[in-house]
Amino acid sequence: MTKTEYLEQLKGGLIRNNVPDTEEIVSEYEQHFAFKLADGFSEEEIAAKLGAPGEIAAQFQGAKTTGKKKPGVKAVLITGLALLGAVEAAAYIAFFAFVVVLFAAAVASAAAGVMLMARLNIAGLLPSMPYAGALLLGICMIALGVLFCVAGVYSFSIMRQLVRASLRWRKNVLGGALPNLPSSPQFSPKTRRALRTLLLLATVVFGVAFIAGFAVLSIQAGSLGFWHVFGWFVRA
Amino acid sequence: MNTQYKKGVLELCVLSLLHEKDRYGYEISETLAKQIDIADGTVYPILRKLKSDGLVTTYLSEASGGPPRKYYSLTNLGRKTFSFDRAEYLKFAKTIESILEGT
């Protein structure tokens, strides 16, 4: 069998088997011929060593074929996915709002902490208290801000991974062949360790500073309900 | 040797060759055909299947004289699949060997 005959038969077999990208496959075999011819083999020898073109064409059938669904089925699928998508999108928007709230809480907590520690009583937002207590509560608020921030980062990556997994899944339903993605967030081990350390550290600092602040203020006010002594929560 | 045996492990062999370095199709086909008695043409369908499974990607690279060659390269998923399947196969082969040798 000559090279031309072989490639013709291969192409015919591929088309009969509905294998996609016929041209690309045939060109790979054409290159095989070119390499072997350069090594001094005859076209007949090469063709014989390659294996019967019909059999080779059949082996390509095993690979997943893309876009072979009937148009009717595909239309139904697309409609279904669109409806599902609308519901999903609503959920993602709500989730995103939650993430925004977390970051806003992080910024607000950290700002309150800085204000407490720097004695910046902007617009009379802070209740009055002795500075030792304010310093401890400020540290406590900054730690709280870090906690909110970690929660925000984690929530955001959950959301992002969910969206990506959902998009990949859609592609696969419509005939894609890429593997589905996991729906849990994928951090690199380094990031994961850093987040965990930060979370642990911030939790400890928050707890210690909160208890210490509470104790210091109670002692200075001479009362466990120190907020009454300092006149908090009372409209001026 | 029974062709059914070979078929199953050829995929693993191809992954192993690609784990070493990126190679072009003909190179893979030649390396394998030299050591295992297979028809030269059977490697290309395997490469295509690996690609559609997302285990390998391809890129074109200029070769000195001649058309650009299509190189195959393992994806992250391909690397993971290879190390998993390799370990599994080696364990399996060991078991079979001990059974066949009647120990």
Side-chain angles (χ1 to χ4, degrees):
Chain A
M1 201 186 304
T2 68
K3 173 182 159 186
T4 324
E5 281 169 355
Y6 189 93
L7 296 178
E8 284 290 315
Q9 287 192 23
L10 177 66
K11 194 172 174 182
L14 290 172
I15 291 170
R16 261 197 307 283
N17 293 342
N18 272 323
V19 178
D21 307 320
T22 317
E23 293 296 328
E24 208 187 316
I25 293 171
V26 172
S27 88
E28 191 118 47
Y29 283 87
E30 215 172 336
Q31 279 209 2
H32 187 93
F33 269 98
F35 279 119
K36 281 276 184 192
L37 284 169
D39 280 347
F41 291 93
S42 74
E43 290 189 2
E44 276 75 16
E45 282 172 312
I46 303 167
K49 195 81 179 51
L50 269 174
E55 264 171 50
I56 298 292
Q59 288 176 23
F60 276 98
Q61 241 185 336
K64 268 181 226 158
T65 47
T66 49
K68 268 188 77 182
K69 291 196 175 73
K70 289 194 189 93
V73 175
K74 198 156 187 175
V76 171
L77 267 177
I78 289 175
T79 319
L81 285 179
L83 285 173
L84 186 63
V87 177
E88 272 185 56
Y92 293 142
I93 289 169
F95 201 156
F96 186 68
F98 174 67
V99 172
V100 170
V101 167
L102 280 177
F103 279 113
V107 171
S109 305
V114 169
M115 279 163 67
L116 280 166
M117 290 172 74
R119 299 193 204 219
L120 287 170
N121 197 355
I122 299 168
L125 281 172
L126 300 177
S128 59
M129 68 184 93
Y131 185 61
L135 195 64
L136 284 164
L137 287 189
I139 293 170
C140 169
M141 288 310 280
I142 288 176
L144 187 64
V146 172
L147 285 178
F148 274 128
C149 195
V150 171
V153 167
Y154 197 75
S155 301
F156 179 73
S157 67
I158 289 179
M159 188 190 78
R160 200 180 59 167
Q161 188 67 22
L162 277 176
V163 171
R164 283 165 76 188
S166 158
L167 289 177
R168 174 66 65 82
W169 174 74
R170 270 148 213 285
K171 251 188 215 159
N172 284 347
V173 168
L174 293 175
L178 290 169
N180 280 323
L181 292 170
S183 56
S184 55
Q186 306 292 305
F187 292 115
S188 71
K190 212 174 135 195
T191 319
R192 194 169 34 233
R193 270 197 300 277
L195 277 177
R196 197 180 49 199
T197 313
L198 201 61
L199 190 68
L200 213 66
L201 208 70
T203 309
V204 170
V205 170
F206 174 78
V208 169
F210 183 79
I211 292 167
F214 199 100
V216 165
L217 287 175
S218 299
I219 291 165
Q220 285 183 326
S223 156
L224 273 177
F226 55 81
W227 45 90
H228 298 302
V229 180
F230 298 132
W232 294 8
F233 312 121
V234 182
R235 279 192 184 279
Chain B
M1 193 183 163
N2 190 324
T3 47
Q4 286 302 317
Y5 293 155
K6 286 182 221 161
K7 255 206 161 140
V9 293
L10 270 181
E11 231 180 272
L12 194 56
C13 293
V14 171
L15 289 178
S16 178
L17 288 178
L18 290 176
H19 189 74
E20 226 171 275
K21 61 172 193 194
D22 295 358
R23 296 169 192 263
Y24 54 96
Y26 178 72
E27 198 186 350
I28 299 168
S29 153
E30 274 301 278
T31 315
L32 286 181
K34 251 182 225 154
Q35 302 179 58
I36 312 173
D37 182 28
I38 48 160
D40 285 355
T42 45
V43 169
Y44 300 108
I46 291 169
L47 284 169
R48 177 143 290 257
K49 179 178 176 294
L50 292 176
K51 191 178 174 186
S52 79
D53 286 349
L55 301 184
V56 303
T57 53
T58 55
Y59 60 91
L60 288 177
S61 179
E62 295 294 330
S64 52
R69 288 169 182 175
K70 188 158 88 178
Y71 275 84
Y72 290 83
S73 153
L74 282 192
T75 60
N76 265 335
L77 182 73
R79 255 184 288 279
K80 274 184 209 152
T81 308
F82 171 64
S83 60
F84 183 82
D85 287 359
R86 177 179 180 274
E88 205 175 49
Y89 179 81
L90 289 177
K91 201 175 137 202
F92 176 72
K94 221 175 194 174
T95 314
I96 298 297
E97 200 182 317
S98 76
I99 291 175
L100 293 185
E101 287 178 348
T103 49

